[in-house]
Amino acid sequence: MNRYFLTDTETTGLLKDGNPDFLAQPGIVQIGVLILDQDFKEIDFFATKVNPERSNWEPEAIKTHGIQPADVEDAPTFFALFPDLARLATGATHWVGYNNPFDKKVLWHQLLRYGYEMNFPWPQQEIDVMKLANAHMAM
């Protein structure tokens, strides 16, 4: 039975390719998750701003999503949100998103920060809407 974990993040900036230091990588400032069953009916939904616990925001990121550092000062940290995210991902068969490599790498670095990288129930299959759209646009 398929279960879909749809996710999207907004971040403090872009990934720093080749830099393994999780503190140099962008933090999540907003995350949304929608869980769908095999019939694509909503099972659960979760969305919140996130305090990224860092001050190094890229100006282009703020222009893109419009979230300011002051907007997330009192938001929960990723550490506080981890149990809810893990619960939502548990049992999911598919990770669904737009540009999955970006969101998955950002999430990975957040998990590394707290030592949770081995405790996240990553869905085994993937559907990347950006790849699907690009394939159809090239036709």
Side-chain angles (χ1 to χ4, degrees), residues 48-94:
T48 186
K49 288 193 170 115
V50 182
N51 182 334
E53 302 179 275
R54 66 189 70 218
S55 59
N56 57 331
W57 290 49
E58 294 175 19
E60 286 301 312
I62 295 170
K63 277 189 200 174
T64 300
H65 52 59
I67 300 169
Q68 300 281 333
D71 297 335
V72 297
E73 281 178 0
D74 297 325
T77 64
F78 184 83
F79 181 82
L81 298 172
F82 175 78
D84 288 326
L85 293 173
R87 177 187 58 79
L88 289 168
T90 298
T93 57
H94 293 75

Side-chain angles (χ1 to χ4, degrees), residues 3-69:
R3 183 174 163 154
Y4 300 91
F5 180 84
L6 287 75
T7 188
D8 186 41
T9 63
E10 299 299 341
T11 66
T12 58
L14 297 175
L15 290 162
K16 313 302 181 268
D17 287 334
N19 190 336
D21 181 3
F22 56 81
L23 291 175
Q25 298 298 339
I28 296 172
V29 298
Q30 186 173 40
I31 189 165
V33 176
L34 177 64
I35 305 298
L36 302 176
D37 68 13
Q38 70 279 356
D39 297 319
F40 302 104
K41 291 183 182 163
E42 182 178 329
I43 297 173
D44 208 340
F45 175 78
F46 176 83
T48 186
K49 288 193 170 115
V50 182
N51 182 334
E53 302 179 275
R54 66 189 70 218
S55 59
N56 57 331
W57 290 49
E58 294 175 19
E60 286 301 312
I62 295 170
K63 277 189 200 174
T64 300
H65 52 59
I67 300 169
Q68 300 281 333

